[in-house]
Amino acid sequence: MSQSPSDTLTTADGVPLKVSLRRAVRRSKFKALLLVSPLLAFLIIAFVMPILDMLWRSVDNPEVSTRLSRTVEALEGWDGESLPGEPVFAALVADLREGQEARDLGLLSSRLNYEKSGMRSAISRTARRLGNLEPPYREALIEINDSWGELSTWKLIERESSPYTLSYYLAAMDRQLSPEGEIVKVPDYLEIHVALFWRTFWMSAVITGLTLLLGYPIAYLLANLPLRHSNLLMILVLLPFWTSLLVRTTTWIAILQSQGVLNDMMVAIGVIADEARWQMIHNKTGTIVAMTHILLPFMILPLYSVMKTIPPSYMRAARSLGGKPILSFRRVYFPLTIPGIAAGGILVFILAIGYYITPALVGGQSGRFITNYIAYHMQTSLNWGLAAAIASILLLVVIVFYLVFNRLIGVDKVKLG
Amino acid sequence: MNESAAIDARQALPQEADTCFARFIDVQKSYDGVELVVKGFNLDIQRGEFITLLGPSGSGKTTCLMMMAGFETPTHGEILLQGQPINGLPPHKRGIGMVFQNYALFPHMTVAENLAFPLEVRHLPKAEIARQVDRALGMVRLEGFGSRRPAQLSGGQQQRVALARALVFEPELVLMDEPLGALDKNLREEMQYEIKRIHASLGVTMIYVTHDQTEALTMSDRIAVFNDGVVQQLATPETLYELPENAFVASFIGENNRLQGEVVEHLGERCEVVLDSGERVVARPVAVGGVGTRTTLSLRPERVALIGDDDEGRYDNRFSGIVQEVIYLGDHLRTRLQLCGNDEFILKTPNAEGNASLRPGQSVTVGWTWQDCRALDA
């Protein structure tokens, strides 16, 4: 046991056993690789590369360093105590002129505007009057827009001249760099992301808890009913997968809206007054109800797969040894289902924090998730760097949860069906 | 020659209901409302007895055990434990120890925690629990295994733990559902003696379910042979083997030559049967009607003797047959004969001097007494 024989073992012709073995399996390994290569290529193109691109974009910062290359060069050695001199302003004019010809000043102005409001109009106004601008540029530019006379503008340009930035991550956490270079909170009225992150996490936790509460008994029935009944139940569990996600979500609108099925029924049987209908959609309730419904199978299936491996004789043994039903469940059955609870929980939670369509449709203002803000920054504000930073944080959270789960339970315990 | 009467006498048991430890009274069980799995089961169990329910799978024996444990409810009839009806009593209030087919040791608990479980639910003090667990481990010779998990034990050790767990809370009745089914042959035999030893030393009452007749014969005080939801015969191992009451019991317990025929003469103690192949055989009538009824003659292979020239007149039935096959089994020889129109007539002879000379194709004369040849139902 103490000495390893592997480094001395050889085959009959003196080749080390390990080398010989590797040679023997190389061909079959290569063939196996060939079979999975289409999928591998697909995964790399459609999954790995977009993620790498996203991570890249969350720190990528090309606008200032490329568009204002002359200005950045001229700013080198600037003391930062007073406004820069005429050469810097001349370089800025040259840069802006080139940018106007190339028609790509928009990216630059947006980028600077993220950090300092007013920069967009400063640049566009300056660009419009570049044609008849005469030296000395310093006075001329300050006359066009006061921003050029502010120290913070130049500090910003100097700061963002690096090709990489963490400012998107700061923005995603509702933080920014002050002109002095310190990390400070954004003003209250701009705070949005951190609160949304927390809301996403706690609502996902609530949804996970609800799916567990609802799914546990169903999974138990699935695992313990006679085959004929459990097959039917399994079909019912899987039925939602055969229906479009969009249909399932909008069905909840029909049920929960104020003129919807549930409210009408409640009014009809006199539980609530007609003018006091419940507001159950386009808020947190709507998101939680619809997402619990949609994610329920992802809780049931891992639970079921674990429960199916627990023979009924364990509970019988516990009962025959004198355990009351609830105690037997708590001491024997429940501990054995923990891998299933953990697997279902991590699956539902990870799916929930990344959910987009359902909160977008039924969440209204208060039931929105962080994912809806990623979409907003992708589609409306066009701040892809910020969208990438938020998404990267979400990815990081998922990875952390996964690692914790793997540490506590073990990923190999996760099975579906 | 009248050893059967002695066996019958030994089988006689007190029938006083009050002295019975446990009783099944006319118990019937149906799962689907169409078919009866157990059809009118009656059994009186004495305190300290080792009772085996023996039968092929699907014969209803496990169902009876589960009804006693409380996991199934009888569709009809009553089960009494120490004179009290327990039909409505949930399993955890019955105080019956049970050993399951696949042990059902809790995999997330150590051996000691498994053994402590029945004591903890009874709220015993901690020190007492530790003492009892140690005692139970000692009883099954597993001292020092307390901190292991069931998965780290061999099949035989798991079996011992399961046994200890069923006994640790000192139940008066222990049920065992094919507990040795998953073990290999040697281990199974070892465990049979182990269980017998524990049964004898503790004096608990045991109900044991198995489909293995050797196991049943080795261990039991009495055996109930099940088939098709009905007890075919309830008797001591000797009686079952020597004096089977019907064709099923005869064929299920031990090996058995079967000859089909018709009763032609009934003389009370003995009868004469004409086989389908024409031979006349003298037999003991056990479960046959009068003259003219069909019957199956049952004859143990070891009760058939090879007849030499010198023992003329010792056997009531003498026939000659042709050796088909001889199988050497070490301590005895199994010879397959063609005899009385039966190709599968088995003759077991001890591997003694002079007996090993049979060759296929050889013609031999065999004989047996009328007492050993039992005329049973067709």
Side-chain angles (χ1 to χ4, degrees):
Chain A
M1 285 294 260
S2 54
Q3 51 187 175
S4 156
S6 58
D7 38 34
T8 52
L9 269 185
T10 57
T11 54
D13 52 0
V15 183
L17 197 58
K18 276 188 174 171
V19 177
S20 180
L21 181 69
R22 220 177 297 137
R23 252 181 233 159
V25 296
R26 192 177 296 152
R27 207 179 142 76
S28 60
K29 266 191 186 166
F30 179 73
K31 275 189 198 162
L33 189 70
L34 221 57
L35 276 174
V36 298
S37 57
L39 177 65
L40 204 62
F42 176 78
L43 277 181
I44 289 171
I45 293 169
F47 188 67
V48 178
M49 279 167 50
I51 286 181
L52 292 178
D53 187 50
M54 176 190 81
L55 292 173
W56 167 250
R57 271 175 198 277
S58 69
V59 293
D60 190 24
N61 191 31
E63 291 87 358
V64 174
S65 59
T66 53
R67 177 41 53 223
L68 296 183
S69 53
R70 293 185 189 85
T71 319
V72 169
E73 207 175 313
L75 266 175
E76 255 172 58
W78 173 52
D79 60 1
E81 302 285 321
S82 56
L83 276 184
E86 176 67 15
V88 175
F89 282 84
L92 177 68
V93 169
D95 279 333
L96 291 180
R97 275 194 176 131
E98 194 184 274
Q100 198 181 30
E101 254 161 56
R103 299 183 173 280
D104 62 359
L105 283 179
L107 289 173
L108 174 71
S109 58
S110 302
R111 177 71 193 90
L112 290 176
N113 205 53
Y114 295 150
E115 308 295 330
K116 186 173 190 293
S117 51
M119 285 309 291
R120 194 194 308 275
S121 60
I123 289 175
S124 59
R125 222 182 266 178
T126 312
R128 250 180 295 164
R129 292 173 58 181
L130 275 176
N132 44 18
L133 212 57
E134 298 286 332
Y137 293 118
R138 180 167 157 163
E139 283 70 26
L141 284 177
I142 293 174
E143 198 211 302
I144 293 171
N145 194 296
D146 290 341
S147 299
W148 301 123
E150 287 166 18
L151 208 55
S152 61
T153 305
W154 297 101
K155 283 203 165 170
L156 175 65
I157 290 173
E158 192 190 28
R159 198 179 79 214
E160 295 303 332
S161 63
S162 150
Y164 305 105
T165 180
L166 282 177
S167 64
Y168 290 126
Y169 281 98
L170 290 176
M173 303 304 291
D174 291 337
R175 298 292 188 277
Q176 64 183 15
L177 282 172
S178 67
E180 289 74 40
E182 286 162 357
I183 296 173
V184 293
K185 259 187 161 175
V186 296
D188 286 352
Y189 65 93
L190 288 175
E191 265 186 79
I192 179 107
H193 298 121
V194 173
L196 261 171
F197 268 118
W198 285 124
R199 183 201 287 168
T200 305
F201 293 148
W202 77 252
M203 281 178 66
S204 297
V206 167
I207 289 161
T208 308
L210 284 174
T211 54
L212 176 63
L213 225 55
L214 296 172
Y216 200 92
I218 298 173
Y220 180 82
L221 285 179
L222 267 180
N224 290 288
L225 277 182
L227 200 62
R228 200 156 35 95
H229 301 293
S230 64
N231 274 347
L232 182 69
L233 193 58
M234 182 57 106
I235 288 173
L236 291 178
V237 168
L238 295 177
L239 203 61
F241 286 128
W242 305 345
T243 322
S244 155
L245 174 65
L246 223 52
V247 172
R248 277 179 280 157
T249 305
T250 44
T251 308
W252 279 111
I253 300 178
I255 295 171
L256 296 180
Q257 64 189 347
S258 52
Q259 300 299 320
V261 180
L262 193 58
N263 267 317
D264 281 353
M265 264 166 55
M266 288 299 160
V267 170
I269 61 174
V271 173
I272 50 172
D274 197 12
E275 55 277 5
R277 285 168 178 258
W278 289 328
Q279 183 62 44
M280 292 178 291
I281 203 85
H282 303 304
N283 56 16
K284 293 189 183 77
T285 317
T287 304
I288 289 175
V289 169
M291 281 184 63
T292 301
H293 167 232
I294 286 161
L295 293 175
L296 196 54
F298 296 99
M299 178 62 89
I300 293 175
L301 292 178
L303 274 176
Y304 162 71
S305 77
V306 168
M307 287 179 179
K308 220 175 142 54
T309 63
I310 303 173
S313 61
Y314 286 159
M315 271 304 268
R316 288 185 161 181
R319 299 287 306 281
S320 79
L321 292 169
K324 293 189 186 74
I326 290 175
L327 181 131
S328 303
F329 171 80
R330 194 168 54 78
R331 291 281 311 274
V332 175
Y333 197 82
F334 182 77
L336 293 173
T337 59
I338 283 177
I341 294 172
I346 196 86
L347 193 62
V348 170
F349 187 78
I350 286 176
L351 282 173
I353 60 177
Y355 235 64
Y356 165 68
I357 289 189
T358 305
L361 286 177
V362 301
Q365 199 55 249
S366 66
R368 254 186 229 175
F369 275 19
I370 192 72
T371 46
N372 302 117
Y373 255 76
I374 297 177
Y376 168 79
H377 287 305
M378 294 282 291
Q379 294 159 357
T380 310
S381 81
L382 299 180
N383 188 350
W384 284 22
L386 182 54
I390 299 174
S392 302
I393 292 173
L394 215 49
L395 180 66
L396 183 78
V397 170
V398 168
I399 289 172
V400 167
F401 270 106
Y402 172 86
L403 290 177
V404 169
F405 169 77
N406 192 22
R407 199 64 184 286
L408 293 179
I409 306 288
V411 175
D412 49 339
K413 298 255 171 70
V414 182
K415 280 174 280 172
L416 283 181
Chain B
M1 216 52 201
N2 211 349
E3 56 188 10
S4 53
I7 293 167
D8 276 330
R10 251 180 288 161
Q11 192 194 353
L13 287 156
Q15 290 302 310
E16 197 75 31
D18 292 344
T19 67
C20 283
F21 179 67
R23 299 187 77 184
F24 287 85
I25 305 167
D26 282 332
V27 172
Q28 295 186 325
K29 174 71 185 176
S30 173
Y31 287 107
D32 50 7
V34 181
E35 248 183 303
L36 279 174
V37 187
V38 177
K39 304 167 182 166
F41 178 49
N42 282 291
L43 179 65
D44 292 350
I45 301 162
Q46 306 302 312
R47 185 176 292 274
E49 215 179 353
F50 196 117
I51 290 264
T52 297
L53 312 183
L54 173 69
S57 55
S59 60
K61 56 191 190 315
T62 301
T63 307
C64 286
L65 198 74
M66 290 302 170
M67 286 191 282
M68 178 54 96
F71 300 125
E72 303 286 357
T73 25
T75 316
H76 172 82
E78 196 129 43
I79 300 173
L80 302 182
L81 188 62
Q82 307 195 350
Q84 300 298 313
I86 54 168
N87 281 14
L89 209 61
H92 62 274
K93 290 188 179 156
R94 298 195 179 192
I96 298 175
M98 180 145 186
V99 179
F100 291 83
Q101 197 163 5
N102 292 311
Y103 320 136
L105 296 176
F106 307 138
H108 58 297
M109 300 184 191
T110 64
V111 168
E113 285 165 349
N114 264 285
L115 294 183
F117 182 85
L119 306 173
E120 279 168 14
V121 302
R122 286 173 173 75
H123 304 292
L124 262 64
K126 273 222 167 70
E128 175 69 9
I129 290 177
R131 207 180 57 77
Q132 297 273 15
V133 167
D134 281 345
R135 193 182 53 86
L137 280 175
M139 183 177 66
V140 293
R141 302 173 191 171
L142 282 176
E143 293 94 344
F145 282 78
S147 57
R148 301 228 193 148
R149 300 240 169 203
Q152 296 168 300
L153 302 179
S154 70
Q157 290 166 338
Q158 290 185 28
Q159 172 59 53
R160 281 161 200 266
V161 175
L163 191 61
R165 192 180 63 176
L167 291 165
V168 71
F169 60 102
E170 295 172 348
E172 292 191 71
L173 177 62
V174 175
L175 311 179
M176 301 199 191
D177 183 12
E178 310 218 6
L180 307 181
L183 302 181
D184 62 48
K185 189 167 170 290
N186 287 340
L187 210 51
R188 201 156 61 215
E189 282 168 9
E190 192 188 318
M191 283 307 295
Q192 287 171 13
Y193 294 118
E194 186 93 21
I195 292 173
K196 264 315 264 185
R197 179 181 66 81
I198 289 170
H199 171 246
S201 68
L202 295 181
V204 293
T205 313
M206 285 188 175
I207 307 181
Y208 192 97
V209 161
T210 183
H211 63 260
D212 182 337
Q213 42 127 339
T214 326
E215 211 167 280
L217 292 174
T218 318
M219 305 175 75
S220 322
D221 294 328
R222 283 193 298 158
I223 300 172
V225 181
F226 269 73
N227 191 37
D228 203 19
V230 175
V231 175
Q232 305 287 330
Q233 190 172 357
L234 169 66
T236 61
E238 298 102 301
T239 314
L240 273 186
Y241 189 82
E242 306 286 344
L243 309 168
E245 276 171 7
N246 59 37
F248 176 81
V249 176
S251 63
F252 195 74
I253 311 272
E255 212 175 1
N256 180 40
N257 287 312
R258 300 160 64 113
L259 301 166
Q260 309 284 336
E262 197 179 298
V263 181
V264 292
E265 211 177 345
H266 202 303
L267 303 166
E269 199 187 26
R270 47 202 281 181
C271 66
E272 276 190 42
V273 173
V274 171
L275 301 182
D276 296 346
S277 51
E279 288 88 348
R280 254 178 123 82
V281 180
V282 189
R284 176 201 289 272
V286 177
V288 287
V291 171
T293 48
R294 301 278 307 161
T295 179
T296 302
L297 297 180
S298 153
L299 182 62
R300 297 290 179 200
E302 67 273 18
R303 295 295 171 93
V304 182
L306 273 171
I307 298 184
D309 300 328
D310 52 337
D311 41 20
E312 201 66 46
R314 205 170 132 189
Y315 298 100
D316 313 274
N317 301 297
R318 291 168 56 105
F319 298 100
S320 50
I322 294 161
V323 177
Q324 302 287 312
E325 189 182 12
V326 181
I327 299 168
Y328 179 78
L329 285 164
D331 60 338
H332 72 272
L333 293 166
R334 246 174 87 93
T335 311
R336 189 161 63 81
L337 299 175
Q338 194 190 36
L339 184 98
C340 301
N342 185 345
D343 232 7
E344 302 282 328
F345 195 93
I346 304 293
L347 170 68
K348 256 192 211 171
T349 45
N351 188 2
E353 250 183 272
N355 275 353
S357 57
L358 294 180
R359 292 280 170 272
Q362 192 179 340
S363 179
V364 291
T365 307
V366 296
W368 60 88
T369 65
W370 67 271
Q371 291 97 332
D372 287 332
C373 182
R374 297 170 64 82
L376 306 170
D377 52 317

Short mmCIF file of all heavy atoms in Angstrom, two decimals, chain A residues 17-38:
data_model
loop_
_atom_site.label_atom_id
_atom_site.label_comp_id
_atom_site.label_asym_id
_atom_site.label_seq_id
_atom_site.Cartn_x
_atom_site.Cartn_y
_atom_site.Cartn_z
N LEU A 17 3.63 0.83 -18.30
CA LEU A 17 2.24 0.41 -18.44
C LEU A 17 1.33 1.59 -18.76
O LEU A 17 0.44 1.50 -19.60
CB LEU A 17 1.81 -0.27 -17.14
CG LEU A 17 0.55 -1.12 -17.24
CD1 LEU A 17 0.72 -2.20 -18.28
CD2 LEU A 17 0.25 -1.74 -15.89
N LYS A 18 1.57 2.72 -18.09
CA LYS A 18 0.69 3.87 -18.27
C LYS A 18 0.76 4.39 -19.70
O LYS A 18 -0.26 4.72 -20.31
CB LYS A 18 1.09 4.99 -17.29
CG LYS A 18 0.48 4.80 -15.93
CD LYS A 18 0.73 6.00 -15.06
CE LYS A 18 -0.03 5.87 -13.74
NZ LYS A 18 0.34 6.91 -12.80
N VAL A 19 1.99 4.47 -20.24
CA VAL A 19 2.16 4.94 -21.62
C VAL A 19 1.44 4.01 -22.57
O VAL A 19 0.71 4.43 -23.47
CB VAL A 19 3.67 5.00 -21.96
CG1 VAL A 19 3.86 5.41 -23.41
CG2 VAL A 19 4.37 5.97 -21.02
N SER A 20 1.65 2.73 -22.33
CA SER A 20 1.06 1.72 -23.20
C SER A 20 -0.47 1.82 -23.17
O SER A 20 -1.13 1.76 -24.21
CB SER A 20 1.52 0.35 -22.72
OG SER A 20 0.96 -0.64 -23.51
N LEU A 21 -1.00 2.01 -21.98
CA LEU A 21 -2.45 2.12 -21.83
C LEU A 21 -2.97 3.35 -22.55
O LEU A 21 -3.97 3.30 -23.25
CB LEU A 21 -2.80 2.18 -20.34
CG LEU A 21 -4.28 2.28 -20.01
CD1 LEU A 21 -4.98 0.98 -20.36
CD2 LEU A 21 -4.48 2.61 -18.55
N ARG A 22 -2.25 4.46 -22.40
CA ARG A 22 -2.68 5.70 -23.04
C ARG A 22 -2.72 5.52 -24.55
O ARG A 22 -3.64 5.96 -25.22
CB ARG A 22 -1.71 6.83 -22.64
CG ARG A 22 -2.40 8.14 -22.37
CD ARG A 22 -1.43 9.19 -21.92
NE ARG A 22 -0.79 8.85 -20.65
CZ ARG A 22 0.52 9.02 -20.40
NH1 ARG A 22 1.32 9.49 -21.34
NH2 ARG A 22 1.00 8.71 -19.23
N ARG A 23 -1.70 4.85 -25.09
CA ARG A 23 -1.65 4.60 -26.52
C ARG A 23 -2.86 3.79 -26.96
O ARG A 23 -3.48 4.06 -27.97
CB ARG A 23 -0.38 3.83 -26.86
CG ARG A 23 0.63 4.68 -27.57
CD ARG A 23 1.84 3.83 -27.89
NE ARG A 23 3.04 4.47 -27.40
CZ ARG A 23 4.17 3.83 -27.16
NH1 ARG A 23 4.23 2.51 -27.31
NH2 ARG A 23 5.22 4.49 -26.75
N ALA A 24 -3.17 2.78 -26.15
CA ALA A 24 -4.24 1.87 -26.53
C ALA A 24 -5.60 2.57 -26.56
O ALA A 24 -6.45 2.25 -27.40
CB ALA A 24 -4.28 0.70 -25.54
N VAL A 25 -5.80 3.54 -25.66
CA VAL A 25 -7.13 4.16 -25.63
C VAL A 25 -7.19 5.43 -26.47
O VAL A 25 -8.26 6.00 -26.64
CB VAL A 25 -7.56 4.49 -24.18
CG1 VAL A 25 -7.71 3.22 -23.38
CG2 VAL A 25 -6.62 5.45 -23.52
N ARG A 26 -6.02 5.86 -27.01
CA ARG A 26 -6.01 7.14 -27.72
C ARG A 26 -6.97 7.13 -28.91
O ARG A 26 -7.72 8.06 -29.13
CB ARG A 26 -4.59 7.44 -28.20
CG ARG A 26 -4.43 8.86 -28.71
CD ARG A 26 -3.01 9.14 -29.09
NE ARG A 26 -2.12 9.05 -27.94
CZ ARG A 26 -0.83 8.73 -28.03
NH1 ARG A 26 -0.30 8.43 -29.20
NH2 ARG A 26 -0.08 8.68 -26.96
N ARG A 27 -6.93 6.03 -29.66
CA ARG A 27 -7.74 5.95 -30.86
C ARG A 27 -9.24 6.05 -30.52
O ARG A 27 -9.98 6.81 -31.15
CB ARG A 27 -7.47 4.63 -31.57
CG ARG A 27 -7.69 4.70 -33.03
CD ARG A 27 -7.37 3.32 -33.64
NE ARG A 27 -8.32 3.06 -34.71
CZ ARG A 27 -8.23 3.62 -35.89
NH1 ARG A 27 -7.28 4.47 -36.18
NH2 ARG A 27 -9.12 3.34 -36.83
N SER A 28 -9.66 5.31 -29.50
CA SER A 28 -11.09 5.33 -29.17
C SER A 28 -11.47 6.69 -28.58
O SER A 28 -12.58 7.18 -28.79
CB SER A 28 -11.43 4.21 -28.18
OG SER A 28 -10.68 4.38 -27.02
N LYS A 29 -10.54 7.31 -27.88
CA LYS A 29 -10.82 8.65 -27.36
C LYS A 29 -11.02 9.64 -28.50
O LYS A 29 -11.92 10.48 -28.47
CB LYS A 29 -9.65 9.12 -26.49
CG LYS A 29 -9.81 8.85 -25.02
CD LYS A 29 -8.74 9.57 -24.24
CE LYS A 29 -8.78 9.19 -22.77
NZ LYS A 29 -7.57 9.62 -22.08
N PHE A 30 -10.16 9.52 -29.52
CA PHE A 30 -10.25 10.42 -30.66
C PHE A 30 -11.58 10.26 -31.36
O PHE A 30 -12.25 11.23 -31.72
CB PHE A 30 -9.10 10.13 -31.62
CG PHE A 30 -9.12 10.99 -32.84
CD1 PHE A 30 -8.79 12.34 -32.76
CD2 PHE A 30 -9.50 10.47 -34.08
CE1 PHE A 30 -8.83 13.14 -33.89
CE2 PHE A 30 -9.54 11.27 -35.20
CZ PHE A 30 -9.20 12.61 -35.11
N LYS A 31 -12.00 9.00 -31.54
CA LYS A 31 -13.29 8.74 -32.18
C LYS A 31 -14.43 9.34 -31.38
O LYS A 31 -15.36 9.94 -31.93
CB LYS A 31 -13.50 7.23 -32.32
CG LYS A 31 -12.87 6.64 -33.54
CD LYS A 31 -13.33 5.20 -33.67
CE LYS A 31 -12.45 4.40 -34.59
NZ LYS A 31 -12.63 2.96 -34.38
N ALA A 32 -14.36 9.18 -30.07
CA ALA A 32 -15.41 9.73 -29.21
C ALA A 32 -15.46 11.24 -29.34
O ALA A 32 -16.54 11.84 -29.42
CB ALA A 32 -15.17 9.33 -27.76
N LEU A 33 -14.29 11.85 -29.41
CA LEU A 33 -14.22 13.30 -29.54
C LEU A 33 -14.86 13.75 -30.85
O LEU A 33 -15.57 14.75 -30.92
CB LEU A 33 -12.76 13.75 -29.47
CG LEU A 33 -12.56 15.25 -29.37
CD1 LEU A 33 -13.02 15.73 -28.01
CD2 LEU A 33 -11.11 15.62 -29.60
N LEU A 34 -14.60 12.96 -31.90
CA LEU A 34 -15.15 13.28 -33.22
C LEU A 34 -16.67 13.32 -33.16
O LEU A 34 -17.32 14.17 -33.76
CB LEU A 34 -14.69 12.21 -34.21
CG LEU A 34 -14.28 12.72 -35.58
CD1 LEU A 34 -13.16 13.74 -35.44
CD2 LEU A 34 -13.83 11.55 -36.44
N LEU A 35 -17.25 12.39 -32.41
CA LEU A 35 -18.71 12.31 -32.31
C LEU A 35 -19.30 13.54 -31.62
O LEU A 35 -20.36 14.01 -32.00
CB LEU A 35 -19.11 11.05 -31.54
CG LEU A 35 -19.19 9.78 -32.36
CD1 LEU A 35 -19.45 8.59 -31.44
CD2 LEU A 35 -20.28 9.88 -33.40
N VAL A 36 -18.61 14.03 -30.60
CA VAL A 36 -19.19 15.15 -29.87
C VAL A 36 -18.75 16.50 -30.44
O VAL A 36 -19.23 17.54 -29.99
CB VAL A 36 -18.83 15.11 -28.36
CG1 VAL A 36 -19.39 13.88 -27.72
CG2 VAL A 36 -17.35 15.24 -28.15
N SER A 37 -17.87 16.47 -31.45
CA SER A 37 -17.32 17.73 -31.93
C SER A 37 -18.38 18.72 -32.45
O SER A 37 -18.23 19.92 -32.22
CB SER A 37 -16.24 17.49 -32.97
OG SER A 37 -16.75 16.74 -34.02
N PRO A 38 -19.47 18.27 -33.15
CA PRO A 38 -20.47 19.28 -33.56
C PRO A 38 -21.05 20.03 -32.38
O PRO A 38 -21.18 21.25 -32.40
CB PRO A 38 -21.54 18.44 -34.26
CG PRO A 38 -20.88 17.19 -34.66
CD PRO A 38 -19.82 16.94 -33.64
#
